[in-house]
Amino acid sequence: MQTITESNSRQTFRTPFFPAYWREAAGEVKKLRVLVLAALFVGLDIVVGMFFIPMPFGDNLRIYFNYFTNSMCSMICGPVLALIFGFVRDMLGFMANPSGGFFFGYTLSAMLSSFCYALFFYKARITVTRIICCKLVINVCINILLGSLWSAMLYSKGYYFYLVSSTVKNLMLLPVEIILLVLFYQLALPVLVKMKLIPEQPKGRMPLI
């Protein structure tokens, strides 16, 4: 059954498998306020993506923070706009900071990451379990499985070589990213509700499930 809570005339859904969910998501494209916010998030995401913290172990192991802006934009704008957001931010990010040649596979990964955040967070009751599941899907399915395929297509070594190195990197970063995302939304959710950008959330600490 669909779970509905009235807050700022917005509904929340347990899953995205409802026609009303997708009607709401498609309607976000027509809202000027949401479009302006998405454009602002694109610029903010590009700037935030330029900063990182290098980890003391592993080659090229870094903590980036633009998954905060990516997830928040997807949460507010929904899965339809999230695909557009992922495409635009990857294109503009590459033009702002080109490294190597352009490859559309990475653009597809950026679009799918934003889409995944939206499926888990848009019009949803945000819980620790939901954040864990979302990051697990993104890190494993998109970053590891797809990312290894793109690397194998671009470079000389085989798929399994990149699969092993990507698995180590993403699984090491996964708990750190989950903890930071939980702490971030513990602070951000009340602000977003007050600004009427997302539905009402449970009061107090973020629920586990």
Side-chain angles (χ1 to χ4, degrees), residues 14-140:
R14 287 190 181 275
T15 73
F17 301 112
F18 296 99
Y21 175 94
W22 293 99
R23 285 196 296 270
E24 292 275 350
E28 302 291 357
V29 181
K30 303 176 184 178
K31 298 177 182 178
L32 179 60
R33 184 190 186 193
V34 177
L35 292 175
V36 171
L37 282 172
L40 292 174
F41 271 115
V42 168
L44 183 60
D45 186 271
I46 293 172
V47 173
V48 173
M50 295 179 180
F51 300 93
F52 59 86
I53 297 177
M55 298 293 284
F57 42 85
D59 295 331
N60 198 29
L61 197 60
R62 303 168 177 175
I63 298 178
Y64 288 91
F65 300 101
N66 54 341
Y67 63 91
F68 293 135
T69 51
N70 187 5
S71 63
M72 186 179 291
C73 180
S74 301
M75 173 191 289
I76 295 170
C77 299
V80 177
L81 264 179
L83 286 170
I84 301 172
F85 169 78
F87 176 82
V88 173
R89 76 180 180 88
D90 185 77
M91 289 292 185
L92 294 181
F94 176 78
M95 288 187 284
N97 186 30
S99 56
F102 173 78
F103 181 66
F104 185 75
Y106 294 120
T107 303
L108 178 60
S109 290
M111 295 171 66
L112 290 175
S113 294
S114 299
F115 185 70
C116 187
Y117 278 123
L119 290 182
F120 277 92
F121 295 165
Y122 176 67
K123 290 190 175 296
R125 179 175 178 266
I126 307 301
T127 65
V128 174
T129 300
R130 186 175 288 268
I131 291 175
I132 291 173
C133 292
C134 180
K135 282 302 297 176
L136 190 62
V137 170
I138 291 174
N139 282 38
V140 174

